Amino acid sequence: MSTPLHPPVPTPRGVAPGMPDPADALPRLSRRACLGGAALMGVAAAGAWLATPRLQAVTGAPSLDAIVPKAFGDWRVIADATTQVDVAQGVETVLEQPYDQTVMRTYANGQGEQVMLALAWGERQRQDVKVHRPEVCYPAQGFALRRVEAGPPIATEGRARPVPTTELLAEARGGGFEAVRYWIRIGDNYGGDGLGARWYILNEGLAGRIPDGILVRASQRLAQASAAPGSQRLMARFLAELVAAVPAPSRGMLVR
């Protein structure tokens, strides 16, 4: 009786006949070693999470409407039917809106001079959503910019150095002009310049902070462009008196 033939066992690809399978040479990890390795990876992941800075934003800010007085010095809030230029560009979605609080008022003094005030504060300033410069908002709402330049800094209470400001002269589509004096504060940074603001926000984020930001804008309607220099001086005095009238504990919302 002949012996039955068995088919040859196939040799793994890349392994010469008669040579041991390299897989057999790999060390066999015990259950304890596997559990220990998993535990070490978990500890490392937890340590990395703890070492990552958590972004902290300004919280618990007071109400701008409450802290900014409706009367100070020779200035009083008046009812004004004139619509101010909005602090937004007019095209933002709800998610793109950078402001959490806004105040829009018109003040008049004993001489009958009127100044419009716009305050717009945002709790979280990010690379893609931050305070809008009036140079963008005014043209978006039908004004033509006739002059934009750095204005003389304004000395204010609550800040050792004068606040850097920008002066605008805009011409309305239907005639007339508007003089504007403003500053933008993002965290401790001033200017509102696109690149400078982005760089500051980036560095704050790397330090684990999300800065707040505010636009402080005064404006005055003018019949003639030649009245702009006097208007700018008036608005500088108005803004300095405004900051001084805000209670000291809350003044950091406007200047820092």
Side-chain angles (χ1 to χ4, degrees):
M1 183 179 295
S2 60
T3 304
L5 297 176
H6 297 281
V9 177
T11 303
R13 182 176 298 178
V15 178
M19 296 294 291
D21 187 344
D24 294 335
L26 294 175
R28 303 282 184 178
L29 295 177
S30 67
R31 179 182 178 84
R32 178 178 297 177
C34 290
L35 291 175
L40 287 174
M41 286 189 291
V43 171
W49 184 87
L50 291 173
T52 301
R54 306 268 84 78
L55 292 175
Q56 300 293 325
V58 173
T59 57
S63 164
L64 271 178
D65 189 63
I67 67 170
V68 176
K70 295 180 173 63
F72 58 92
D74 192 31
W75 297 97
R76 301 289 183 275
V77 168
I78 63 169
D80 185 9
T82 303
T83 301
Q84 285 200 49
V85 171
D86 198 356
V87 292
Q89 298 177 33
V91 296
E92 299 92 343
T93 65
V94 174
L95 294 178
E96 292 170 335
Q97 174 58 251
Y99 307 122
D100 298 292
Q101 297 186 46
T102 58
V103 170
M104 310 283 279
R105 298 175 185 167
T106 299
Y107 289 80
N109 62 14
Q111 289 73 48
E113 298 168 313
Q114 296 183 12
V115 172
M116 293 179 288
L117 173 69
L119 304 174
W121 178 82
E123 180 180 295
R124 295 168 177 264
Q125 300 299 297
R126 306 190 300 274
Q127 293 286 344
D128 53 336
V129 180
K130 56 185 179 296
V131 174
H132 299 315
R133 292 179 295 129
E135 293 95 308
V136 176
C137 298
Y138 271 76
Q141 295 172 58
F143 284 78
L145 296 182
R146 296 308 181 206
R147 188 169 67 248
V148 180
E149 59 189 15
I154 299 175
T156 65
E157 296 287 340
R159 179 173 160 82
R161 291 182 295 172
V163 178
T165 66
T166 300
E167 295 181 359
L168 273 70
L169 179 64
E171 185 172 3
R173 183 179 297 163
F177 297 86
E178 188 162 328
V180 183
R181 186 77 169 267
Y182 80 89
W183 69 73
I184 290 176
R185 175 192 63 74
I186 297 180
D188 297 326
N189 184 64
Y190 285 83
D193 173 71
L195 182 59
R198 287 179 182 276
W199 181 250
Y200 177 81
I201 292 171
L202 173 63
N203 281 285
E204 286 294 283
L206 293 175
R209 298 183 294 268
I210 301 178
D212 69 325
I214 190 169
L215 165 69
V216 178
R217 187 188 80 195
S219 59
Q220 191 175 36
R221 296 284 166 82
L222 305 175
Q224 302 293 331
S226 58
S231 174
Q232 292 292 348
R233 290 190 294 271
L234 174 69
M235 290 188 292
R237 293 194 300 271
F238 170 85
L239 289 171
E241 292 177 26
L242 172 76
V243 173
V246 172
S250 304
R251 206 170 283 151
M253 285 192 74
L254 303 185
V255 296
R256 207 174 285 171

